[in-house]
Amino acid sequence: MAVYFIFNALIVIISRKVMFAVTCLVLTLFNCGLDIEAGKLSTLDGGTSHPVPNGNPTTENNLHAIAGMRAFTKEEEAEPRIVGGKEAWPHSWPWQAVLCFADMPACGGAILSQYWIVTASHCFRRYSKESFWSVKAGKHDMENEHESCQQNSKVVKIITHKDFNGITKENDIALLKLQTPLVFDECVRPIPVWSGDLPSLKRCAITGWGSTTESGPRADKLQEANITILEFDTCLKLYGGVIRSSMMCAGQEAGGVDACQGDSGGPLSCFTGERYEVAGIVSWGVGCGRAQKPGVYTRVTFYTEWINSIVDDQLGADVTWKTSTESRKLFPSTKDEVKNCGQAEVKPCRLDQGFVGFESSEPSGELRVANVTEACPHSWPWQVSLQSEELHYCSGTLIDERWVLTARHCRAEAGDMVVLGAHDLMVGSQQVSIKAVYSQPYDGSYPPLHDLTLIYLRVPARLGSSVLPVCIPDEDMTFDQGLSCVVTGWGYKRSTPNLSPDVLHQAQVNPLPEQACWNGWGQVFSSNALLCTQPAASSSCLGDAGAPLLCQKNGQYYLAGMMALGVKRCDQQKPAIFTRLSGFQSWIEKIKNHEGLK
């Protein structure tokens, strides 16, 4: 705890710093206006929110719809635990995160996206090594280590503001990047950054688990309080020249409502009339809840450009996160990015070795696949990995921010994870769970004529340099024999022993004439529903089911085909077969439109 002496007297300024004995988030609380009536909850700003049934995923259509929106689960009614304060309704502040040092609660934070937490720099003044820190989301009861909504992630990057001053508390803001992305549901949601000026005397909410009285014990269950944003001149009058334009005061001049030890870095959440946005970060103050000594908060809007510059500078799945100061959206619009389908920012490379083929391995004579190379990272940004229990089982292809195509025989299920923006599967990437699966019916044919599944993601993918959609061909679009195409995927087969199964690889192919397909498969091959390429490109040779066949036209890559179920063993007499996507455009649009009407 930092102790400062100002105003010609000994006044203990209790910095909301991490303390090992007294850690994680607090409030000297005020009754925040949560009224339970007729099955509804009245929010701080007078709106009503119906409880979300426990365990049911959110039904919002996109992240903008859930960002900053409170959720209420059906749990026991919250009861006042401290004088003038109230326990929060469980999981009703879903962007609240807790930062743990060596597994001990230490500071609060606000969830900005699946990978990013905003908090206070002073939390890391003494201990800034990432391996010491972890983040918990979806928490309510600190005494319950196995809450159903709880999500845990290690911290891989701590970025404190370069101009943070530990004495004056200027620039008291930091960003944390998570190793494992959060999964948004009714208990875990992001919050946008407040845009524009924050009106004085506006009522906002503070939340946390810190001390309930000055130097007292921390709260076990999340607390909430309703406080007022004070005018800047009032803040200057109460604290003098230590107040900067990047700070603001909130509380009551009479005292009694404030953040306290352990609440450092927690959010000051303000209602816009539509949703909550994070306007402040708990920074410092004189004591807790003292008269004429309101809490001082970092003004988050002041750092919007800094947040954007930091996040944009970090490579990986979350590279395109933006805080919007005009539209009040958490993420940027992706409409233009969807229009620019099939155009990767990183150009494909290492495709100059010729078409995929076979070579013999002496002395056994066993077939080996030749001309397969490691892809340049993020040169195929629509490629996704389908995973169950953190194990890759099939590839898929992103066709827009909410939809992925794969092979029906992959048997994808709701609840499985879609990993986007990955190159090496051992490195953390953006993850979104599957909400629904739509498959073409199996007609008993072999090779299957309708080996196709459409996957609906629980939340939209965050598009950026490493995550972009591919183009879907029109029904009249053809891919001729002379066209150069590419097959991409992960996986391992004996025929490709020199390839790492965890690193994305690629092989150049070209569509074969119908006669060549018939020669290998006989009259069961249907050119209306299937394409075929060199045998070495099959899943039994390259090792990845559901891999895409990508062909370039007019500077854009199209998903010409989806690798279909073929032979079990790598066979140089059997051409690789792919479901012809142009024949299923109407079905794809029908399914997408149907889901959109729900």
Side-chain angles (χ1 to χ4, degrees), residues 518-572:
W518 288 332
N519 290 343
W521 286 96
Q523 295 302 312
V524 297
F525 181 86
S526 170
S527 59
N528 292 327
L530 301 172
L531 289 166
C532 81
T533 69
Q534 289 87 343
S538 68
S539 60
S540 56
C541 296
L542 290 183
D544 202 8
L549 174 64
L550 304 163
C551 299
Q552 190 177 36
K553 281 194 171 187
N554 301 319
Q556 293 178 293
Y557 275 96
Y558 287 84
L559 183 60
M562 182 69 62
M563 191 172 288
L565 181 64
V567 293
K568 293 182 178 180
R569 298 183 61 183
C570 186
D571 187 342
Q572 59 183 332

Side-chain angles (χ1 to χ4, degrees), residues 364-402:
S364 65
E366 187 176 359
L367 288 177
R368 293 284 188 266
V369 177
N371 297 334
V372 182
T373 59
E374 178 181 341
C376 285
H378 311 309
S379 57
W380 309 106
W382 35 81
Q383 183 98 21
V384 307
S385 167
L386 305 184
Q387 298 188 8
S388 176
E389 298 180 353
E390 300 185 355
L391 295 177
H392 171 86
Y393 65 84
C394 262
S395 272
T397 307
L398 188 72
I399 61 172
D400 74 21
E401 60 180 356
R402 205 68 188 263

Side-chain angles (χ1 to χ4, degrees), residues 63 67 110-118 173 175 184 190-194 278 300 303-314 316-325 329-334 337 430 462-465:
L63 283 180
I111 299 168
L112 296 182
S113 76
Q114 289 179 300
Y115 279 95
W116 291 95
I117 308 293
V118 65
I173 188 170
L175 288 170
F184 293 150
I191 184 171
V193 170
W194 186 274
V278 58
V300 183
Y303 297 94
T304 299
E305 292 185 7
W306 178 81
I307 293 174
N308 285 334
S309 67
I310 293 297
V311 176
D312 286 346
D313 189 53
Q314 298 295 306
D318 219 30
V319 71
T320 59
W321 182 86
K322 295 285 187 184
T323 53
S324 172
T325 57
K329 292 183 179 179
L330 179 66
F331 298 100
S333 172
T334 56
E337 291 171 299
Q430 183 182 163
R462 298 181 309 283
L463 304 185
S465 61

